[in-house]
Amino acid sequence: MTEQTRDIQLEPSWKDELAGEFDKPYMQSLRQFLLQEKQQGQQIFPPGNQIFNALNTTPFDKVRVVILGQDPYHGPDQAHGLCFSVQQDVAVPPSLQNIYKELHADLGLPVPSHGNLMQWAEQGVLLLNAVLTVRAGQANSHQGKGWEHFTDRIVELLNERREHLVFMLWGSYAQRKGAMIDRKRHLVLSSPHPSPLSAHRGFLGNRHFSKANQYLQQQQLASIDWQIR
């Protein structure tokens, strides 16, 4: 492990699993790109200490469910390192509103008053974006810079070294990213994306939350309390 890797603030179990990634050329290139963005005065979301929030909140050996997103929200004070989640005092985005609608229809849970999904992450729901940073006001602006290699490795490690996980793949992007997952080893739940453009094509009514808990219980594992309080 290099000095540069040791300086990275990352939850210990993930740091052990991912240590080799930080010295690879793609990660060095990504680090240089992010440095250039800052030098050019670009505002980057989420803040630096929240980029690895999903991993820091949900240790490798505690993951039970994986939800794959695409890239962080690019509006002020929204992104905090968990896919689909926003800070507590920020308006709930449309995709998350549809997630809450499905949660209510599936499990009868009340629709939460805020969009912070930290309570899921703390129970073992890994809320992982494929790309972990974005330029303020410019969606997808950090795609293709290296983050996808890093998060592919995260999915590979979970697939290979864990058993009986639930992967929720919403939309074609997440489904492509999750194509490697061993369906005999894990439960893979796929549906259209919860965005307003596609939610009515099959996201609403997918019952992924109850299906996840049913599977976990069948494996003698604790279910997720999906209610956001």
Side-chain angles (χ1 to χ4, degrees):
M1 187 183 293
T2 66
E3 197 69 39
Q4 209 166 27
T5 303
R6 277 194 288 271
D7 290 342
I8 293 168
Q9 300 300 307
L10 193 61
E11 190 277 329
S13 66
W14 280 112
K15 198 165 190 175
D16 287 345
E17 295 290 341
L18 293 164
E21 295 302 300
F22 292 99
D23 299 323
K24 290 183 177 178
Y26 83 83
M27 185 58 81
Q28 294 171 6
S29 175
L30 172 60
R31 191 181 284 116
Q32 188 62 33
F33 166 75
L34 292 173
L35 186 62
Q36 288 173 350
E37 288 279 271
K38 289 181 181 177
Q39 289 172 344
Q40 292 169 8
Q42 299 292 346
Q43 186 177 13
I44 306 301
F45 295 139
N49 63 350
Q50 296 176 1
I51 289 172
F52 296 119
N53 214 6
L55 303 179
N56 288 335
T57 309
T58 312
F60 180 77
D61 57 345
K62 301 296 185 186
V63 176
R64 288 186 282 160
V65 176
V66 182
I67 299 178
L68 294 180
Q70 194 159 351
D71 76 326
Y73 296 116
H74 55 271
D77 301 319
Q78 288 183 304
H80 64 126
L82 307 178
C83 74
F84 293 106
S85 180
V86 291
Q87 300 278 20
Q88 194 136 349
D89 54 353
V90 176
V92 178
S95 289
L96 185 53
Q97 289 179 29
N98 283 328
I99 291 170
Y100 284 169
K101 282 181 187 176
E102 178 54 28
L103 195 62
H104 175 70
D106 186 9
L107 296 174
L109 299 178
V111 174
S113 61
H114 63 86
N116 191 319
L117 303 180
M118 185 66 78
Q119 292 167 54
W120 290 359
E122 290 170 344
Q123 293 182 73
V125 180
L126 181 65
L127 296 165
L128 182 69
N129 275 316
V131 177
L132 299 188
T133 56
V134 69
R135 190 183 294 170
Q138 297 183 42
N140 305 322
S141 49
H142 286 184
Q143 280 195 358
K145 302 300 182 181
W147 280 127
E148 294 92 340
H149 296 294
F150 182 70
T151 53
D152 278 349
R153 184 59 183 151
I154 291 170
V155 176
E156 286 174 4
L157 287 166
L158 290 167
N159 178 51
E160 294 166 3
R161 302 187 186 179
R162 295 291 313 280
E163 289 188 339
H164 309 312
L165 300 181
V166 180
F167 288 85
M168 295 183 179
L169 308 180
W170 299 336
S172 58
Y173 186 94
Q175 288 157 24
R176 287 194 300 272
K177 195 168 186 70
M180 70 182 79
I181 299 163
D182 184 350
R183 268 68 171 168
K184 296 177 182 176
R185 194 181 180 98
H186 307 285
L187 176 65
V188 176
L189 299 172
S190 299
S191 82
H193 194 274
S195 77
L197 294 174
S198 56
H200 293 280
R201 298 180 193 152
F203 175 82
L204 297 174
N206 67 20
R207 304 202 64 189
H208 281 187
F209 302 104
S210 60
K211 288 174 181 176
N213 277 352
Q214 184 179 20
Y215 175 80
L216 292 171
Q217 290 163 3
Q218 288 170 349
Q219 307 302 326
Q220 282 77 54
L221 299 169
S223 57
I224 304 293
D225 177 4
W226 291 106
Q227 184 171 348
I228 296 292
R229 296 172 175 83

